[in-house]
């Protein structure tokens, strides 16, 4: 015991800490580079494959309350998502709500590639369908009227604000919102969980996960169109007088 | 090399028969020992460097360059460990196309020693993570995620002890609360435990029971939450615990130009470091050890 005691373990005497920047002053390791190469070639080949064509450049700042690019996304989620939802439940989605901040890139005039879909939607968010009472839909309309942002909605919803930004009219498939009716609203899992302050998805009357990523919806939707033709329209507007 | 070690030890054993192996190791060298800890965090599938046109990170990053850098540091000091603090997955199409296979394969080629698990490492579900485990020639540690009822059971250990030049280095992992951050269908039956309590357990086990010379926490808790002081962070962890020498963090993508020096619950220094994200930087912390002395010398000098 005495021996052990007199022979203490090594003693920490000094610590030096720093960070080293990794930039082009450091030569790439050739073996690693060679290993990555076939993966890179395959990814790039697929990412750069042309899947549609954009006759214009579309950005999320093109309009005040609705934009061509936002309408394209919401309508794509409706048409692709409803195929799955209807097959599984024999019900139909009533409309789609996404968020303006979720449009992560412009769509540039010219060829649309798989990479375009990755740029517009780099995140892995998937579509969920929430069964919401009309009362919750009314809260959603309140939210949209206060947010005054071009949060993408699909064409089934028509929301008009008066000149004071109050809800003037809100219809779903041409019908006014019925407080007692259940509506099936498709959105992304981020918003369903309360992202962007969208608290109206709770309480709800049920949730259906489609396990369908928004990016894949865009890719599938682009592939169906030789040329996209999204338009800013009247689905979400404000009356000026 | 191994054979020479053996001869050295057996010679010592003849002279000092009856002394425990641990003390023998302490006598095996009388010179200063240096342990180098290299670390990354939140690399997020950034395998290729950023291009010259990138607005923020032009010409930075790249796994092949990191490989060259790590190799040159190892050449200088073979007693080097390479660690990662999680969020290996998600961020470039490499992840979407290959599910993390290439990330793990490259980390294995760079000879990473230990990594912990970040919230984005669940992005293809716990099954998606499990499916890539065969490509990882390094170990995963997490002390506060209980994977017992998941496919990851036995593939993640609370801690790992590595000896370099007879210096015992204990490394444990901590992960962020998954509820609200990761879908339940993704993390499934993974159980989250309080990281501070687990860190206290770990540092006691590693320092007192395992007699580690160095205790390192690989954390994916996040550096600091100034607006939510009750949320556990690396800074609050450092202050609430003892016997941790270095906390290597992640999650908040915090670019620390140099490690932060915090005081632990005993008023002793703890280093907290994090190198932003995307493999733009490599963190390097060198620990110098003097041979065992009977009388305690003055404190540790920290140069950052």
């Amino acid at each position: 015991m005495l021996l052990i005691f007199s022979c203490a373990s090594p003693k920490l005497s000094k610590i030096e800490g720093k960070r080293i920047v990794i930039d082009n002053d450091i030569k790439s390791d050739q073996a690693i580079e060679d290993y990555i190469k076939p993966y890179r070639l395959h990814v790039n080949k697929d990412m750069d494959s042309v899947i549609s064509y954009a006759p214009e450049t579309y950005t999320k700042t093109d309009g005040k309350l609705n934009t061509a690019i936002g309408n394209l996304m919401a309508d794509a989620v409706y048409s692709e998502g409803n195929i799955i939802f209807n097959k599984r439940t024999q019900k139909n989605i009533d409309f789609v709500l996404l968020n303006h901040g979720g449009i992560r890139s412009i769509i540039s005039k010219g060829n649309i590639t798989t990479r375009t879909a990755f740029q517009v939607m780099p995140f892995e968010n998937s579509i969920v369908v929430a069964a919401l009472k009309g009362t919750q839909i009314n809260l959603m309309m309140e939210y949209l009227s206060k947010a005054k942002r071009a949060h993408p909605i699909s064409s089934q919803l028509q929301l008009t604000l008066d000149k004071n930004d109050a809800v003037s009219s809100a219809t779903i498939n041409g019908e006014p919102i019925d407080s007692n009716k259940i509506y099936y609203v498709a959105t992304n899992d981020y918003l369903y969980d309360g992202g962007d302050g969208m608290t109206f998805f709770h309480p709800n009357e049920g949730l259906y996960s489609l396990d369908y990523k928004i990016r894949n919806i865009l890719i599938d939707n682009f592939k169906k169109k030789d040329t996209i033709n999204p338009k800013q329209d009247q689905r979400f507007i404000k009356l000026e007088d | 090399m191994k054979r020479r070690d053996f001869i050295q030890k057996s010679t010592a054993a003849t002279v000092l028969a009856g002394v425990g192996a641990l003390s023998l190791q302490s006598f095996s060298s009388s010179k200063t020992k240096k342990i180098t800890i290299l670390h990354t965090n939140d690399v997020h599938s950034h395998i290729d460097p950023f291009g010259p046109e990138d607005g923020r990170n032009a010409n930075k990053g790249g796994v092949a360059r990191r490989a060259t850098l790590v190799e040159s540091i190892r050449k200088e000091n073979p007693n080097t460990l390479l660690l990662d603090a999680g969020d290996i997955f998600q961020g470039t199409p490499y992840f979407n196309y290959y599910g993390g296979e290439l990330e793990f394969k490259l980390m294995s080629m760079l000879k990473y020693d230990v990594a912990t698990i970040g919230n984005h490492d669940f992005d293809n579900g716990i099954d998606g993570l499990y499916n890539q485990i065969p490509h990882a020639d390094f170990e995963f540690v997490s002390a506060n995620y209980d994977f017992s009822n998941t496919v990851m059971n036995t593939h993640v250990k609370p801690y790992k002890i590595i000896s370099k030049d007879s210096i015992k280095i204990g490394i444990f992992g901590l992960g962020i609360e998954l509820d609200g951050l990761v879908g339940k269908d993704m993390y499934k039956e993974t159980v989250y435990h309080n990281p501070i309590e687990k860190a206290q357990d770990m540092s006691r086990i590693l320092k007192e029971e395992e007699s580690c010379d160095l205790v390192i926490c690989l954390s994916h808790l996040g550096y600091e939450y100034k607006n939510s002081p009750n949320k556990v962070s690396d800074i609050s962890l450092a202050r609430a615990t003892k016997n941790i020498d270095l906390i290597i963090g992640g999650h908040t993508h915090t670019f620390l130009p140099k490690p932060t020096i915090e005081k632990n619950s005993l008023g002793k220094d703890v280093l907290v470091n994090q190198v932003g994200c995307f493999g733009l930087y490599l963190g390097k912390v060198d620990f110098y050890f003097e041979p065992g002395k009977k009388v305690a010398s003055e404190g540790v000098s920290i140069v950052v």
Side-chain angles (χ1 to χ4, degrees):
Chain A
M1 277 314 282
L2 187 72
L3 261 175
I4 292 168
F5 184 71
S6 65
C7 171
S9 48
K11 192 171 161 27
L12 183 60
S13 59
K14 190 170 78 167
I15 308 171
E16 283 177 345
K18 62 171 179 176
R19 69 172 186 187
I20 305 167
V21 65
I22 295 173
D23 59 17
N24 46 12
D25 287 344
I26 303 172
K27 199 176 171 295
S28 288
D29 181 292
Q30 199 54 48
I32 298 287
E33 193 56 36
D34 292 345
Y35 195 83
I36 297 169
K37 204 176 170 186
Y39 289 87
R40 182 187 296 134
L41 287 176
H42 176 256
V43 167
N44 285 345
K45 193 177 157 212
D46 195 70
M47 290 288 276
D48 294 329
S49 61
V50 176
I51 53 177
S52 190
Y53 181 81
E56 306 287 340
T57 293
Y58 305 98
T59 86
K60 66 175 175 181
T61 52
D62 283 344
K64 209 168 173 317
L65 294 177
N66 80 88
T67 64
I69 190 171
N71 295 344
L72 174 143
M73 282 179 78
D75 290 341
V77 169
Y78 181 87
S79 51
E80 306 305 329
N82 200 46
I83 296 169
I84 309 286
F85 184 66
N86 182 268
K87 210 175 269 174
R88 289 199 196 157
T89 66
Q90 283 74 55
K91 298 180 179 82
N92 288 308
I93 294 170
D94 285 292
F95 68 94
V96 176
L97 171 67
L98 301 173
N99 61 324
H100 185 245
I103 307 168
R104 305 303 293 187
S105 167
I106 63 170
I107 295 175
S108 299
K109 182 177 176 173
N111 287 333
I112 292 175
T113 64
T114 304
R115 194 181 297 279
T116 312
F118 272 84
Q119 288 163 342
V120 173
M121 187 57 208
F123 307 133
E124 302 307 295
N125 297 95
S126 296
I127 286 300
V128 297
V129 179
L132 295 179
K133 265 195 160 165
T135 46
Q136 296 300 111
I137 303 293
N138 284 326
L139 292 176
M140 184 191 295
M141 298 307 120
E142 285 288 310
Y143 171 95
L144 290 171
S145 71
K146 290 199 172 79
K148 284 171 267 179
R149 293 187 80 188
H151 289 307
I153 57 175
S154 63
S155 63
Q156 296 76 23
L157 177 64
Q158 166 70 52
L159 177 59
T160 306
L161 307 182
D162 66 19
K163 63 178 195 284
N164 301 316
D165 295 314
V167 175
S168 163
S169 85
T171 61
I172 297 165
N173 289 314
E175 301 287 325
I177 295 163
D178 177 347
S179 299
N180 296 315
K181 198 185 152 185
I182 303 289
Y183 293 92
Y184 296 95
V185 182
T187 187
N188 69 50
D189 45 7
Y190 167 76
L191 298 176
Y192 176 78
D193 290 332
D196 269 7
M198 295 196 185
T199 53
F200 41 75
F201 288 110
H202 301 270
N204 58 62
E205 314 303 312
L207 175 72
Y208 305 83
S209 289
L210 299 192
D211 298 317
Y212 198 174
K213 288 178 184 179
I214 294 180
R215 184 194 311 118
N216 291 337
I217 282 181
L218 291 177
I219 291 169
D220 292 345
N221 196 253
F222 286 146
K223 281 181 176 169
K224 288 179 183 170
K225 297 168 181 164
D226 181 59
T227 301
I228 62 165
N229 187 27
K231 293 275 185 253
Q232 189 188 348
D233 57 24
Q234 302 294 306
R235 65 184 72 183
F236 185 13
I237 53 165
K238 179 181 167 176
L239 302 171
E240 288 306 333
D241 49 78
Chain B
M1 197 63 190
K2 268 186 181 151
R3 188 179 156 75
R4 204 170 61 189
D5 270 6
F6 173 72
I7 293 167
Q8 264 184 358
K9 275 176 197 165
S10 51
T11 316
T14 345
V15 179
L16 296 159
V19 180
L22 186 77
S23 340
L24 282 177
Q25 286 181 359
S26 315
F27 280 119
S28 66
S29 165
S30 60
K31 59 172 180 23
T32 302
K33 292 176 178 181
K34 179 182 174 186
I35 301 293
T36 297
I37 305 296
L38 301 179
H39 61 92
T40 51
N41 59 276
D42 299 274
V43 178
H44 282 296
S45 305
H46 283 263
I47 286 162
D48 293 326
F50 283 89
E53 308 297 323
D54 190 83
R56 200 176 294 166
N57 305 312
N59 296 315
K60 278 194 191 168
V63 176
R65 291 173 184 164
R66 197 191 321 149
T68 304
L69 179 61
V70 167
E71 206 38 52
S72 75
I73 293 168
R74 279 206 188 102
K75 230 171 230 167
E76 197 185 293
N77 181 16
N79 300 311
T80 292
L81 293 184
L82 179 56
L83 311 175
D84 186 273
D87 276 8
I88 295 163
F89 289 174
Q90 189 68 264
T92 70
Y94 284 112
F95 177 68
N96 306 101
Y97 279 76
Y98 298 106
E101 173 190 326
L102 188 58
E103 289 83 332
F104 280 3
K105 281 181 168 173
L106 293 170
M107 285 173 75
S108 303
M109 290 173 82
L110 266 66
K111 300 191 188 72
Y112 269 80
D113 294 284
V114 185
T116 195
I117 293 166
N119 48 301
H120 279 290
D121 299 320
F122 292 92
D123 277 9
N124 277 344
I126 194 160
D127 298 297
L129 176 58
Y130 172 75
N131 289 340
Q132 303 307 333
I133 291 290
H135 302 300
D137 290 338
F138 51 92
E139 294 200 42
F140 289 96
V141 288
S142 181
N144 70 323
Y145 288 161
D146 179 354
F147 290 109
S148 303
N149 294 321
T150 74
V151 287
M152 287 297 284
N153 186 28
T154 76
H155 296 285
V156 182
K157 304 210 163 59
Y159 64 85
K160 163 94 182 158
I161 295 174
I162 300 173
S163 286
K164 289 271 176 189
D165 197 12
S166 315
I167 300 286
K168 237 177 140 178
I169 307 151
I171 303 156
F172 71 96
L174 291 176
I176 194 164
E177 182 156 24
L178 296 169
D179 184 33
L181 200 57
V182 178
K184 168 78 177 156
D185 52 334
M186 292 296 190
Y187 66 81
K188 293 191 172 163
E189 299 307 313
T190 307
V191 180
Y192 166 87
H193 291 292
N194 182 310
I196 300 230
E197 284 170 20
K198 286 290 172 188
Q200 285 163 339
D201 287 351
M202 283 300 116
S203 52
R204 180 181 49 76
I205 291 169
L206 293 172
K207 203 76 178 188
E208 294 170 19
E209 294 175 21
E210 300 282 359
S211 305
C212 287
D213 300 299
L214 205 53
V215 175
I216 297 172
C217 172
L218 271 183
S219 152
H220 199 78
L221 297 172
Y223 180 68
E224 190 176 21
Y225 300 100
K226 283 193 170 138
N227 297 328
S228 339
N230 293 329
K231 190 168 173 176
V232 182
S233 66
D234 293 338
I235 293 294
S236 68
L237 176 77
R239 290 174 183 162
T241 53
K242 59 181 183 179
N243 289 330
I244 300 174
D245 297 290
L246 170 64
I247 298 170
I248 294 170
H251 187 62
T252 43
H253 297 197
T254 306
F255 287 90
L256 294 176
K258 56 182 190 175
T260 302
I261 305 169
E262 266 300 326
K263 293 284 182 203
N264 72 11
S265 66
L266 299 177
K268 287 188 177 166
D269 290 333
V270 193
L271 257 64
V272 180
N273 205 15
Q274 191 178 147
V275 287
C277 54
F278 306 157
L280 305 175
Y281 294 90
L282 182 70
K284 180 173 183 276
V285 185
D286 296 315
F287 292 90
Y288 294 86
F289 290 86
E290 298 303 328
K293 282 175 192 165
K294 195 173 172 182
V295 184
S297 62
E298 66 290 346
V300 181
S301 73
I302 302 177
V303 186
V304 291

